[in-house]
mmCIF file of all heavy atoms in Angstrom:
data_model
loop_
_atom_site.group_PDB
_atom_site.id
_atom_site.type_symbol
_atom_site.label_atom_id
_atom_site.label_comp_id
_atom_site.label_asym_id
_atom_site.label_seq_id
_atom_site.Cartn_x
_atom_site.Cartn_y
_atom_site.Cartn_z
ATOM 1 N N PRO A 307 92.995 121.320 83.842
ATOM 2 C CA PRO A 307 93.743 121.565 85.082
ATOM 3 C C PRO A 307 92.820 121.802 86.266
ATOM 4 O O PRO A 307 92.175 122.852 86.368
ATOM 5 C CB PRO A 307 94.560 122.829 84.753
ATOM 6 C CG PRO A 307 93.750 123.540 83.706
ATOM 7 C CD PRO A 307 93.092 122.453 82.899
ATOM 8 N N SER A 308 92.762 120.840 87.167
ATOM 9 C CA SER A 308 91.767 120.929 88.244
ATOM 10 C C SER A 308 92.156 120.051 89.417
ATOM 11 O O SER A 308 92.386 118.857 89.244
ATOM 12 C CB SER A 308 90.390 120.493 87.720
ATOM 13 O OG SER A 308 90.485 119.262 87.010
ATOM 14 N N PHE A 309 92.218 120.633 90.598
ATOM 15 C CA PHE A 309 92.366 119.878 91.831
ATOM 16 C C PHE A 309 90.993 119.778 92.487
ATOM 17 O O PHE A 309 90.238 120.754 92.555
ATOM 18 C CB PHE A 309 93.340 120.558 92.787
ATOM 19 C CG PHE A 309 94.783 120.457 92.383
ATOM 20 C CD1 PHE A 309 95.641 121.532 92.517
ATOM 21 C CD2 PHE A 309 95.292 119.270 91.887
ATOM 22 C CE1 PHE A 309 96.979 121.437 92.151
ATOM 23 C CE2 PHE A 309 96.628 119.156 91.508
ATOM 24 C CZ PHE A 309 97.477 120.245 91.650
ATOM 25 N N ALA A 310 90.678 118.598 92.988
ATOM 26 C CA ALA A 310 89.342 118.329 93.517
ATOM 27 C C ALA A 310 88.955 119.292 94.632
ATOM 28 O O ALA A 310 87.830 119.802 94.666
ATOM 29 C CB ALA A 310 89.267 116.883 94.010
ATOM 30 N N GLN A 311 89.874 119.542 95.555
ATOM 31 C CA GLN A 311 89.545 120.391 96.699
ATOM 32 C C GLN A 311 89.101 121.780 96.248
ATOM 33 O O GLN A 311 88.164 122.363 96.811
ATOM 34 C CB GLN A 311 90.748 120.512 97.646
ATOM 35 C CG GLN A 311 91.091 119.226 98.368
ATOM 36 C CD GLN A 311 92.141 118.417 97.619
ATOM 37 O OE1 GLN A 311 92.183 118.442 96.380
ATOM 38 N NE2 GLN A 311 92.974 117.708 98.352
ATOM 39 N N GLU A 312 89.766 122.338 95.242
ATOM 40 C CA GLU A 312 89.435 123.689 94.799
ATOM 41 C C GLU A 312 88.091 123.723 94.079
ATOM 42 O O GLU A 312 87.309 124.672 94.237
ATOM 43 C CB GLU A 312 90.551 124.237 93.914
ATOM 44 C CG GLU A 312 91.860 124.440 94.676
ATOM 45 C CD GLU A 312 92.915 125.172 93.858
ATOM 46 O OE1 GLU A 312 92.626 125.568 92.707
ATOM 47 O OE2 GLU A 312 94.028 125.355 94.377
ATOM 48 N N VAL A 313 87.805 122.697 93.286
ATOM 49 C CA VAL A 313 86.509 122.634 92.606
ATOM 50 C C VAL A 313 85.384 122.497 93.613
ATOM 51 O O VAL A 313 84.332 123.140 93.503
ATOM 52 C CB VAL A 313 86.496 121.479 91.583
ATOM 53 C CG1 VAL A 313 85.086 121.236 91.049
ATOM 54 C CG2 VAL A 313 87.447 121.779 90.432
ATOM 55 N N ALA A 314 85.578 121.663 94.634
ATOM 56 C CA ALA A 314 84.550 121.477 95.658
ATOM 57 C C ALA A 314 84.314 122.754 96.451
ATOM 58 O O ALA A 314 83.195 123.006 96.922
ATOM 59 C CB ALA A 314 84.958 120.346 96.593
ATOM 60 N N ARG A 315 85.337 123.570 96.586
ATOM 61 C CA ARG A 315 85.196 124.835 97.313
ATOM 62 C C ARG A 315 84.605 125.942 96.442
ATOM 63 O O ARG A 315 84.379 127.049 96.919
ATOM 64 C CB ARG A 315 86.558 125.283 97.842
ATOM 65 C CG ARG A 315 87.097 124.434 98.987
ATOM 66 C CD ARG A 315 88.327 125.073 99.622
ATOM 67 N NE ARG A 315 88.755 124.324 100.790
ATOM 68 C CZ ARG A 315 89.749 123.434 100.776
ATOM 69 N NH1 ARG A 315 90.393 123.192 99.646
ATOM 70 N NH2 ARG A 315 90.070 122.787 101.881
ATOM 71 N N GLY A 316 84.395 125.668 95.160
ATOM 72 C CA GLY A 316 83.857 126.678 94.269
ATOM 73 C C GLY A 316 84.883 127.689 93.815
ATOM 74 O O GLY A 316 84.529 128.806 93.396
ATOM 75 N N MET A 317 86.165 127.319 93.858
ATOM 76 C CA MET A 317 87.220 128.223 93.397
ATOM 77 C C MET A 317 87.280 128.207 91.876
ATOM 78 O O MET A 317 86.995 127.181 91.245
ATOM 79 C CB MET A 317 88.559 127.804 94.011
ATOM 80 C CG MET A 317 88.564 127.862 95.535
ATOM 81 S SD MET A 317 90.062 127.204 96.305
ATOM 82 C CE MET A 317 91.232 128.505 95.886
ATOM 83 N N PRO A 318 87.622 129.336 91.238
ATOM 84 C CA PRO A 318 87.580 129.425 89.768
ATOM 85 C C PRO A 318 88.422 128.345 89.087
ATOM 86 O O PRO A 318 89.595 128.153 89.414
ATOM 87 C CB PRO A 318 88.145 130.820 89.487
ATOM 88 C CG PRO A 318 87.879 131.590 90.733
ATOM 89 C CD PRO A 318 88.025 130.605 91.855
ATOM 90 N N THR A 319 87.810 127.642 88.147
ATOM 91 C CA THR A 319 88.447 126.532 87.438
ATOM 92 C C THR A 319 87.930 126.498 86.015
ATOM 93 O O THR A 319 86.792 126.894 85.756
ATOM 94 C CB THR A 319 88.125 125.187 88.124
ATOM 95 O OG1 THR A 319 88.536 125.236 89.493
ATOM 96 C CG2 THR A 319 88.828 124.023 87.447
ATOM 97 N N ALA A 320 88.765 126.024 85.074
ATOM 98 C CA ALA A 320 88.341 125.862 83.686
ATOM 99 C C ALA A 320 88.638 124.434 83.235
ATOM 100 O O ALA A 320 89.728 123.920 83.471
ATOM 101 C CB ALA A 320 89.057 126.851 82.766
ATOM 102 N N LEU A 321 87.663 123.799 82.595
ATOM 103 C CA LEU A 321 87.780 122.425 82.119
ATOM 104 C C LEU A 321 87.501 122.353 80.627
ATOM 105 O O LEU A 321 87.055 123.325 80.010
ATOM 106 C CB LEU A 321 86.800 121.520 82.867
ATOM 107 C CG LEU A 321 86.954 121.406 84.379
ATOM 108 C CD1 LEU A 321 85.846 120.530 84.959
ATOM 109 C CD2 LEU A 321 88.319 120.837 84.744
ATOM 110 N N VAL A 322 87.742 121.181 80.067
ATOM 111 C CA VAL A 322 87.474 120.919 78.650
ATOM 112 C C VAL A 322 86.530 119.728 78.539
ATOM 113 O O VAL A 322 86.765 118.684 79.148
ATOM 114 C CB VAL A 322 88.775 120.610 77.876
ATOM 115 C CG1 VAL A 322 88.462 120.327 76.411
ATOM 116 C CG2 VAL A 322 89.753 121.760 77.986
ATOM 117 N N ALA A 323 85.462 119.895 77.775
ATOM 118 C CA ALA A 323 84.547 118.802 77.445
ATOM 119 C C ALA A 323 84.884 118.340 76.035
ATOM 120 O O ALA A 323 84.629 119.052 75.063
ATOM 121 C CB ALA A 323 83.095 119.277 77.517
ATOM 122 N N ALA A 324 85.487 117.159 75.936
ATOM 123 C CA ALA A 324 86.008 116.692 74.649
ATOM 124 C C ALA A 324 85.248 115.482 74.146
ATOM 125 O O ALA A 324 85.093 114.491 74.867
ATOM 126 C CB ALA A 324 87.494 116.344 74.778
ATOM 127 N N SER A 325 84.773 115.566 72.923
ATOM 128 C CA SER A 325 84.096 114.436 72.291
ATOM 129 C C SER A 325 83.945 114.727 70.814
ATOM 130 O O SER A 325 83.864 115.888 70.402
ATOM 131 C CB SER A 325 82.713 114.213 72.923
ATOM 132 O OG SER A 325 82.032 113.146 72.275
ATOM 133 N N SER A 326 83.873 113.666 70.025
ATOM 134 C CA SER A 326 83.538 113.824 68.609
ATOM 135 C C SER A 326 82.037 113.956 68.417
ATOM 136 O O SER A 326 81.566 114.257 67.328
ATOM 137 C CB SER A 326 84.064 112.618 67.813
ATOM 138 O OG SER A 326 83.501 111.411 68.333
#
Side-chain angles (χ1 to χ4, degrees):
S308 48
F309 287 139
Q311 291 93 327
E312 294 188 2
V313 170
R315 289 190 175 99
M317 299 174 72
T319 303
L321 299 177
V322 179
S325 178
S326 58

